[in-house]
Amino acid sequence: MRGDLVRKLLARVLTTGLAVLAFLVVALTGATGWGLALAVAALAATAWERRVRPSADGLAETVLVAAGILVGYARRLDDGFDPALTATALVLLGLVLLVGPLRQAGALEIRAANLPVRTWTPVVAARLGDALLVLLAVVALAAALTLPAWTALVATLLVGAGCGAVALDLARRRFRPPAGGGPVGRALRRHQPEFVLHFSAPPGSEYQVTMWLPYLERIGRPFLVVLREPELLPAVAAATRAPVVLCPTLKALDEALVPSLRVAFYVNHGAKNAHLIRFNQLTHVQLHHGDSDKAPSANPVSAIFDKIFVAGQAAIDRYARAGVEIPADKFVVVGRPQVEAIEVRREPVTPPAHPTVLYTPTWTGHHADANYCSLPVAETLIRRLIDRGAVVILRAHPYTGKNPASARQLARLTELLAADRAKTGRPHLFGAAAARELTLTECVNRADALVSDVSGVISDWLYSGKPYAVTDTGADGEHFVERFPLAASGYVLRRDMSNVDEVLTDLLDADPKAAQRWAARTRYLGDFPADGYAEAFLSAARRELEPDWSVPGPRAAR
């Protein structure tokens, strides 16, 4: 998104500009102290750039900064030829040239969490770049304090020893791999997992997999989670006791797929799913990470899976309506287990004087045809809710901050709610209080009504039986309900908010669509008893793991 691009460009300009400026000041002027200070600032900019752009290659800038620091150090000492400083320069040059390739090689190694195995090499390799920046800062400090050159040499040799150990272990793994596989593969064979959850997505998408982990654990069989992006590992590993394995390459994936595996589950249509689907001895099951009338929910790619677990008949109809032909026997209706803790309101209640309304704007999507975000017009809605004395829970999509315009619009809504809370004392919730301190289920249970964009939140809310409104942010007009049938049992807010008062009256007072909403609930979430609602999914998953499974033949070739 544009915000990420601006940050990346700013980081690049700062890193390059400060590195060049630091070298020029040290090399061409007598202001050595200022040059060393600028070099440290360039190192800080480099560290920030690596956070913003993990794949950034700052080799040229690092060489310039290192050269500037060494020139400044030589000027500070002013002792002519210094063997220790010369050795420091040679080792530093080797480190600057080697750290990047070693870090990249380490990033290709398999890593694991929640397994009784230590994979120190990839972890250390990932930190080598930071270690080099710290080392250069230490050398700059030694130069500024005019410490003997041997102090900088000792620090440089210590970092060099770490790089050498990483290089030797990576070379051993590459050219003399251990018989019977690496330590992660051996530990997984001892664990004997029966199924795997494969997950590939951009950073910040952890919610897609963490929503399923409690139910995968309730299946009662050993399993593992395979991730493809390193940024996801800490959050996912903290959310489960099951082994979590990072497989950045196909070779690493081969090591993780031990013979005891029978089933592979997926929660999205990530391109890297194809890396696992090629193993035809597994049964491949798509779970999705939500149920909605959005276009991606009828993705034709679903046809490549052996089974597609869906919440209700509406999901099957959605594929047919989109012209996606998938054999009926691939679909399994399992409900939406994540809604089991939502409190159901079966009887109408007297409208409260200060109703609690949950507002869940979605994000702008990757493409224009998937942009259902109502934030550009949401200020009118929030002001009307405040005028009616409502308590608002504002819970935005996790990706909202990826779009600068959406982030500004969300901040404006937050300001309005904060001001009203200070003025009236109404306990509006927003920011971290609504998005991180409370789960979606807790937000749903606190609210009397929902206003949402087209998203999976509506399907989850539908389980409660309470009224909801849907924003029409496109140009569909009277055809909106045809494209998004779930809106038929809700109240549709026009894109210009011209009918907001009428909709809020129906939503918070009259609620004429209560009966229609209960019929939609069965179509979208299945006809399962509230007690043990999640058992539909657990039973379906266990059927895929029946003990009559036979030992598979050779794995499919790449």
Side-chain angles (χ1 to χ4, degrees), residues 426-470:
R426 286 196 289 267
H428 303 299
L429 290 176
F430 44 82
R436 289 192 291 273
E437 296 174 14
L438 294 178
T439 65
L440 176 60
T441 295
E442 290 170 331
C443 290
V444 170
N445 289 340
R446 290 189 181 202
D448 300 298
L450 168 74
V451 178
S452 178
D453 302 340
V454 175
S455 73
V457 173
I458 302 176
S459 296
D460 288 359
W461 174 273
L462 189 61
Y463 187 78
S464 72
K466 294 181 285 191
Y468 62 89
V470 187

Side-chain angles (χ1 to χ4, degrees), residues 10-297:
L10 179 59
R12 182 94 288 262
V13 169
L14 280 175
T15 300
T16 304
L18 288 172
V20 172
L21 185 60
F23 180 78
L24 292 177
V25 169
V26 171
L28 302 180
T29 74
T32 304
W34 283 105
L36 292 173
L38 287 170
V40 173
L43 295 174
T46 302
W48 179 52
E49 183 179 20
R50 287 180 180 170
R51 300 295 180 271
V52 177
R53 295 175 59 227
S55 60
D57 179 14
L59 177 61
E61 291 81 2
T62 307
V63 169
L64 274 178
V65 171
I69 290 173
L70 290 169
V71 170
Y73 208 158
R75 285 187 175 178
R76 286 279 189 173
L77 294 176
D78 196 23
D79 289 335
F81 177 76
D82 189 323
L85 186 59
T86 302
T88 300
L90 292 174
V91 177
L92 266 180
L93 176 62
L95 291 176
V96 169
L97 295 177
L98 286 176
V99 160
L102 287 178
R103 188 157 47 95
Q104 293 170 5
L108 301 179
E109 294 293 317
I110 191 170
R111 290 167 56 186
N114 303 341
L115 262 183
V117 61
R118 294 183 179 180
T119 51
W120 67 269
T121 300
V123 176
V124 174
R127 299 297 183 187
L128 287 178
D130 296 334
L132 177 60
L133 296 181
V134 172
L135 173 62
L136 288 171
V138 168
V139 176
L141 179 62
L145 298 176
T146 322
L147 298 178
W150 64 263
T151 58
L153 178 59
V154 170
T156 304
L157 289 175
L158 287 174
V159 176
C163 284
V166 169
L168 287 174
D169 194 58
L170 288 173
R172 180 185 60 81
R173 290 166 179 259
R174 181 67 55 87
F175 299 111
R176 296 186 62 184
V184 173
R186 292 194 297 270
L188 287 175
R189 283 193 290 274
R190 291 192 296 270
H191 182 64
Q192 290 287 295
E194 297 184 23
F195 64 91
V196 56
L197 174 64
H198 180 272
F199 185 59
S200 174
S205 307
E206 297 88 348
Y207 71 96
Q208 296 180 9
V209 67
T210 55
M211 70 169 61
W212 280 106
L213 288 173
Y215 301 96
L216 297 179
E217 291 176 350
R218 282 167 58 178
I219 293 173
R221 307 285 182 86
F223 73 100
L224 78 147
V225 180
V226 166
L227 305 177
R228 309 305 303 280
E229 288 76 27
E231 297 86 358
L232 303 170
L233 183 59
V236 175
T240 182
R241 292 169 296 177
V244 181
V245 180
L246 172 65
C247 296
T249 64
L250 294 178
K251 179 183 177 182
L253 188 60
D254 287 344
E255 183 174 348
L257 293 184
V258 294
S260 58
L261 290 170
R262 309 177 187 182
V263 177
F265 291 108
Y266 308 81
V267 298
N268 62 20
H269 290 100
K272 291 182 181 178
N273 288 346
H275 296 172
L276 187 57
I277 289 175
R278 65 195 172 95
F279 292 91
N280 57 12
Q281 76 271 21
L282 301 176
T283 299
H284 302 277
V285 181
Q286 176 61 255
L287 301 177
H288 297 106
H289 57 271
D291 180 85
S292 76
D293 286 329
K294 285 185 176 182
S297 295

